[in-house]
């Protein structure tokens, strides 16, 4: 079949067969965030373009190459959110939530949009689970957030995920570091890509994150930030390492991690797997102590992370992790004739009110085809209604797995009677022992 219109490149459909995978990760992430005391925040899918330019940074790949921006009917420019932090910070400020005492802790599950070259684990529309914590500079907060991320990955059942941490210092120590980096990269000016040449002046640290093979080769020999940390940043990083160790969270210090967004300060971290190819960063985050002020708020230390849900799901699939299975149908009500079908509708309403998953024929099929459908949807029980059953006021309930049949009345006690049998079956009991 030649489709007239196809989905845009770099986007995915989640079909009913796949949606249980999404329910699984959504449930794990939500539950874990709530357990750690985070509450959900929802922000618009598009924001003023200026929000991302100010926060993510105008020398980053995201802002320079990847934003989906439109100029709407007026003259304002809007951008589909490429990440979740900027919108969350804006919403916290705009709704006065920073005045409601600290810490403030929020989480979100959101679509994100980046104009990237699509490949496995790299899409143009993808989804992030993210958390943000405001109002604490304590390294215990960093460890708490890292522990939350690790708990999510553990509960998803993932193995062999490595945690890398680094500190990229504060503006004070970074000034010295920038100088050293600039000196280093100046001597490779002829080899750097064009984007990095412009970064050399404005933001040399961005060169460390360049994906071009030549630039990343040059970056390998660059000075490392850890050698330039001021006393406060050094102590903060040492404390974080101590706390993580005491929590039993294994980590590796990796001075190469700088993260792709400009707002980070001090702690940065990534959870990485080598099992899904090059796009192995499942989760990334860190501190952004300057961002709240940069967006017009009071100076407020803050931190967070975002996990890519597609990458999380791909890794779970690869490792054979379990997904929550969809609930099977409790009962299929088959019918012969108009009167029987009407009765099925009435019984279905009663059963659905009691919380059971019920289906009946809505296509107009014959009995044989109806029973075939009951098999296909894995119905646990079935019942056939015809003129005889309507007349007698009772019908045979069939357990589709064991073939066992029980006569039950179609009167007022019907839902209760079915409930007893279904519960007994669930616990593998004979219904008369309940
Ligand atoms: P990468 O280095 O892989 O490009 P990033 O540094 O751009 O990642 P962040 O901005 O920190 O990523 O986003 C957090 C998480 O969101 C990533 O760790 C990843 O799991 C996911 N992610 C980022 N970009 C994409 C994308 N284009 N497609 C799918 N997932 C993505
Ligand atoms: Mg990226």
């Amino acid at each position: 079949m030649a489709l007239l219109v196809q989905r845009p490149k770099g986007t995915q459909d989640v079909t009913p067969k796949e949606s249980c995978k999404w329910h699984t990760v959504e449930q794990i992430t939500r539950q874990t965030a709530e357990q750690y005391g985070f509450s959900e925040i929802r922000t618009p899918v598009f924001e003023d373009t200026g929000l991302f330019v100010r926060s993510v940074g105008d020398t980053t790949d995201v802002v320079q190459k990847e934003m989906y921006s439109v100029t709407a009917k007026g003259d304002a420019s809007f951008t589909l959110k490429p990440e979740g932090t900027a919108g969350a910070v804006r919403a916290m400020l705009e709704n006065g939530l920073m005045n409601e005492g600290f810490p403030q802790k929020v989480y979100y599950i959101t679509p994100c949009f980046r104009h990237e070259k699509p490949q496995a684990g790299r899409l143009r529309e993808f989804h992030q689970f993210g958390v943000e914590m405001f109002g604490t500079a304590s390294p215990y907060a960093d460890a708490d957030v890292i522990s939350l991320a690790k708990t999510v990955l553990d509960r998803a059942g993932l193995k062999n995920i490595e945690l890398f941490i680094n500190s990229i210092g504060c503006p004070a120590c970074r000034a010295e570091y920038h100088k050293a980096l600039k000196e280093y990269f100046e001597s490779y000016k002829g080899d750097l890509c064009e984007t990095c040449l412009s970064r050399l002046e404005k933001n040399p640290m961005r060169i460390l994150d360049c994906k071009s093979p030549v630039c990343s080769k040059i970056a390998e020999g660059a000075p490392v930030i850890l050698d330039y940390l001021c006393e406060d940043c050094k102590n903060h990083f040492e404390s974080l390492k101590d706390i993580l160790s005491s929590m039993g969270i294994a980590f590796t210090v990796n001075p190469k991690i700088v993260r792709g967004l400009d707002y980070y300060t001090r702690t940065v971290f990534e959870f990485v797997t080598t099992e899904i190819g090059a796009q192995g960063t499942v989760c990334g985050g860190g501190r952004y102590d300057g961002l709240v002020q940069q967006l017009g708020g009071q100076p407020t230390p803050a931190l967070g992370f975002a996990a890519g849900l597609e990458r999380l799901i791909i890794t779970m699939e690869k490792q054979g992790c379990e997904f929550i299975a969809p609930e099977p149908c409790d009962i299929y009500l088959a019918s012969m004739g108009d009167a029987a079908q009407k009765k099925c509708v009435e019984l279905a309403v009663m059963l659905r009110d009691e919380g059971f998953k019920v289906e009946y024929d809505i296509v107009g099929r014959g009995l044989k085809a109806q029973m075939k459908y009951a098999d296909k949807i894995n119905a646990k029980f079935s019942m056939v209604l015809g003129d005889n059953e309507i007349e007698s006021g009772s019908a045979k309930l069939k357990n589709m797995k064991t073939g066992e049949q029980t006569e039950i009345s179609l009167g007022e006690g019907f839902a209760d009677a079915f409930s007893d049998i279904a519960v007994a079956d669930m616990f593998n009991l004979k219904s008369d022992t309940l």
Side-chain angles (χ1 to χ4, degrees):
M1 182 179 61
L3 269 186
L4 292 180
V5 182
Q6 295 177 332
R7 63 172 177 265
K9 209 165 137 188
T11 65
Q12 279 182 341
D13 299 310
V14 177
T15 60
K17 275 205 187 91
E18 300 282 304
S19 55
C20 67
K21 296 178 181 170
W22 285 85
H23 298 160
T24 306
V25 296
E26 283 160 9
Q27 185 172 321
I28 293 170
T29 50
R30 265 177 207 290
Q31 266 178 2
T32 309
E34 298 273 348
Q35 267 188 327
Y36 275 74
F38 288 71
S39 309
E40 187 179 10
I41 190 164
R42 298 188 188 195
T43 64
V45 166
F46 61 95
E47 295 271 3
D48 215 288
T49 298
L51 175 67
F52 302 114
V53 177
R54 271 168 193 274
S55 52
V56 174
D58 56 5
T59 55
T60 59
D61 273 357
V62 168
V63 168
Q64 284 188 333
K65 308 177 188 166
E66 299 171 3
M67 292 206 301
Y68 280 99
S69 303
V70 289
T71 306
K73 295 204 168 108
D75 47 8
S77 168
F78 296 109
T79 295
L80 294 177
K81 58 165 105 162
E83 54 91 63
T85 303
V89 174
R90 189 227 12 95
M92 294 293 296
L93 289 170
E94 199 160 342
N95 293 284
L97 301 173
M98 299 290 197
N99 309 324
E100 295 188 1
F102 289 129
Q104 287 290 324
K105 306 195 280 184
V106 295
Y107 76 90
Y108 49 82
I109 295 175
T110 182
C112 295
F113 305 85
R114 296 185 192 177
H115 192 273
E116 303 206 66
K117 193 163 162 251
Q119 47 202 296
R122 191 173 293 286
L123 296 151
R124 290 183 173 173
E125 183 193 29
F126 62 101
H127 297 77
Q128 286 188 342
F129 159 68
V131 312
E132 314 293 347
M133 191 188 265
F134 301 96
T136 165
S138 163
Y140 278 96
D142 303 52
D144 198 43
V145 161
I146 290 173
S147 155
L148 196 173
K150 179 166 169 29
T151 304
V152 164
L153 301 175
D154 286 346
R155 289 181 177 173
L158 296 183
K159 305 268 180 298
N160 308 324
I161 303 261
E162 232 183 313
L163 166 61
F164 294 110
I165 63 170
N166 189 23
S167 174
I168 55 172
C170 62
C173 34
R174 223 177 286 164
E176 272 304 298
Y177 181 56
H178 275 183
K179 236 191 271 167
L181 268 186
K182 227 171 127 181
E183 245 165 59
Y184 173 80
F185 284 121
E186 290 273 354
S187 53
Y188 294 94
K189 245 180 158 170
D191 304 314
L192 292 175
C193 75
E194 218 168 285
T195 323
C196 282
L197 275 180
S198 73
R199 289 165 169 160
L200 189 55
E201 287 311 313
K202 287 206 228 154
N203 192 350
M205 233 169 88
R206 281 272 66 82
I207 303 174
L208 299 174
D209 206 38
C210 183
K211 300 270 189 314
S212 121
V214 177
C215 297
S216 45
K217 185 86 197 140
I218 297 172
E220 274 174 24
V224 294
I225 178 80
L226 288 177
D227 297 334
Y228 291 81
L229 293 185
C230 66
E231 217 40 42
D232 282 352
C233 288
K234 217 182 273 174
N235 290 339
H236 192 273
F237 194 48
E238 288 308 313
S239 304
L240 171 62
K241 289 193 280 184
D242 275 352
I243 300 163
L244 287 176
S245 298
S246 70
M247 292 169 89
I249 297 177
F251 61 85
T252 305
V253 174
N254 181 348
K256 292 257 157 0
I257 290 182
V258 292
R259 310 290 304 125
L261 315 174
D262 264 359
Y263 47 61
Y264 287 111
T265 52
R266 291 192 168 172
T267 312
V268 287
F269 63 91
E270 290 184 355
F271 283 88
V272 181
T273 166
T274 50
E275 293 179 24
I276 56 168
Q279 328 307 330
T281 307
V282 175
C283 172
R287 253 190 191 282
Y288 49 91
D289 290 343
L291 182 59
V292 175
Q293 190 178 21
Q294 218 173 298
L295 291 178
Q298 297 296 319
T300 309
L303 66 158
F305 71 75
L309 295 186
E310 284 82 358
R311 289 190 197 176
L312 186 58
I313 290 175
I314 300 175
T315 316
M316 288 173 75
E317 288 171 338
K318 190 100 187 175
Q319 299 193 359
C321 299
E322 266 185 49
F323 294 100
I324 302 164
E327 287 290 319
C329 177
D330 289 303
I331 180 167
Y332 182 81
L333 300 168
S335 57
M336 289 181 297
D338 206 34
Q341 169 141 36
K342 290 217 168 73
K343 187 70 184 173
C344 284
V345 176
E346 187 191 316
L347 297 177
V349 169
M350 282 159 71
L351 291 172
R352 285 174 179 159
D353 274 353
E354 293 300 314
F356 291 107
K357 188 165 167 178
V358 187
E359 290 195 55
Y360 52 83
D361 179 50
I362 45 167
V363 181
R365 289 183 170 129
L367 184 60
K368 213 167 141 200
Q370 289 186 48
M371 293 315 292
K372 211 164 149 192
Y373 180 77
D375 270 334
K376 185 175 135 189
I377 60 170
N378 263 329
K380 293 189 215 158
F381 291 90
S382 68
M383 186 175 238
V384 179
L385 297 193
D387 291 343
N388 290 345
E389 284 75 15
I390 303 295
E391 213 166 283
S392 69
S394 76
K396 285 204 175 77
L397 178 74
K398 181 175 171 189
N399 184 321
M400 298 286 278
K401 206 163 62 209
T402 63
E404 191 186 343
Q405 304 216 27
T406 320
E407 186 82 26
I408 59 175
S409 156
L410 303 177
E412 251 182 37
F414 172 73
D416 283 345
F418 175 73
S419 181
D420 284 352
I421 295 170
V423 170
D425 178 67
M426 198 157 69
F427 293 105
N428 226 351
L429 299 168
K430 286 260 170 261
S431 53
D432 52 10
T433 60
L434 268 183

